[in-house]
Amino acid sequence: MKKIFQILAFACIMSGCACHEQTDEPEQQKKNIFPDDFTAAYLGPEGTYSHEACNLFFAGQGRCIPADSVKSAVESVSEGRHLFAVVPLENTVGGAVTDYVDTLIAHPELSVAGEVVLPIRQNLLALPQTELAAVRKVYSHPQGLIQGRAWLEQHLPDAELIEVSSTAAGVKAVAEGKDPAAAAVASAACADVYGVKILARSIQLNDSNKTRFYILSADRADTAVSQRLAFTASGSAAELPLLMARMQQMNIRLETIHERPLKTELGMYHYLIECSSCSYETYQKLTEGSRFKFRYLGSFPVR
């Protein structure tokens, strides 16, 4: 636990987070305290937004390792092969990434060790010789297609939309397939990585498009005061108004809430709740007397 806390504290210093008070300790000594050998898994291949989020949060510390899927990234942490996994949870346009919310809920050994909010600019990429009028197929992660749907419907109404495991995987498929009628929705960074060109920039629905990523760990959830605190509350929807009212009474600020079915009977849910202005002690008081079953996910910094 101490090692992970030190790594996250250093990431917070590097990113300018207010949650960690800097000391007069020499910078070189700080760098020696936080090792460079930890690894963080992300949804690959290289060039995905998860890759960008990983680099942003850890600010050059450790190594970001691509995984074939979010499931395999999470399992690599559960099995001890990597210290962290970077997982997208929510997008401004597409909403909750429900499959990944379910993955977090299904792994009780995981905690949330950090968060990064990444501005998302979706672009249409294709082979160097491809013109927009020639595009008949568009590849991307489902979220990428959702975020660019309005633009695609207007400019490529007859194109087939093909879902793949990640935005970068779509660009890779275009580059390797050599199909001049194919394009992909992904980050501009993928153009250099895969040797393709940008046909259209910023095709997302709006310029406020952002994705929230969680930094997951298999270590014990941190209880130290930080910028955010997350937990799950599982039970009847009828109990939710009572929980929300109690949070308001205790001056706990709700940041986000996602519901997923408990899969036992109608009206029963897992609620993934993230809040601020809440210490671990306050969280404990919040849970007292509630009919929900709670799971504490951690207190953590936000980049």
Side-chain angles (χ1 to χ4, degrees), residues 48-253:
T48 62
Y49 292 108
S50 294
H51 186 197
E52 187 176 346
C54 188
N55 285 327
L56 179 60
F57 185 84
F58 292 110
Q61 293 295 293
R63 290 183 297 132
C64 296
I65 308 296
D68 293 336
S69 65
V70 167
K71 180 181 178 182
S72 62
V74 169
E75 288 177 348
S76 73
V77 173
S78 296
E79 295 166 2
R81 289 183 282 117
H82 297 301
L83 199 57
F84 300 107
V86 180
V87 177
L89 260 292
E90 177 186 21
N91 175 263
T92 307
V93 177
V97 190
T98 55
D99 287 350
Y100 305 158
V101 174
D102 288 343
T103 297
L104 173 56
I105 290 171
H107 285 266
E109 75 281 6
L110 295 178
S111 62
V112 180
E115 177 179 317
V116 58
V117 178
L118 186 71
I120 303 295
R121 297 290 180 266
Q122 299 287 10
N123 307 272
L124 189 70
L125 298 95
L127 296 174
Q129 69 272 26
T130 297
E131 298 299 329
L132 183 62
V135 174
R136 295 292 180 266
K137 294 182 288 187
V138 179
Y139 296 84
S140 193
H141 185 277
Q143 282 285 322
L145 296 175
I146 290 171
Q147 293 162 33
R149 187 175 300 279
W151 190 95
L152 293 170
E153 288 177 349
Q154 179 181 354
H155 297 276
L156 296 170
D158 298 322
E160 179 186 5
L161 305 184
I162 304 171
E163 296 183 359
V164 291
S165 61
S166 70
T167 52
V171 181
K172 187 176 181 181
V174 170
E176 293 179 349
K178 306 296 184 182
D179 183 355
V185 176
S187 71
C190 285
D192 291 334
V193 173
Y194 297 101
V196 296
K197 72 175 182 179
I198 300 174
L199 277 178
R201 294 182 182 272
S202 296
I203 70 169
Q204 69 279 348
L205 183 62
N206 61 65
D207 290 337
S208 299
N209 191 26
K210 297 179 180 179
T211 295
R212 183 195 311 273
F213 294 82
Y214 273 173
I215 313 300
L216 301 182
S217 166
D219 203 60
R220 182 173 60 86
D222 194 4
T223 58
V225 175
S226 196
Q227 289 173 291
R228 297 285 174 83
L229 183 148
F231 61 92
T232 61
S234 303
S236 171
E239 297 295 317
L240 186 62
L242 300 176
L243 180 63
M244 295 293 102
R246 186 158 171 77
M247 287 178 64
Q248 185 174 21
Q249 291 170 359
M250 299 175 70
N251 296 316
I252 300 172
R253 176 183 170 86

Side-chain angles (χ1 to χ4, degrees), residues 105 232-235 258-263 268-272:
I105 290 171
T232 61
S234 303
H258 301 300
E259 67 178 42
R260 301 298 300 143
L262 207 58
K263 300 180 181 179
M268 302 292 285
Y269 299 92
H270 296 289
Y271 294 100
L272 173 59

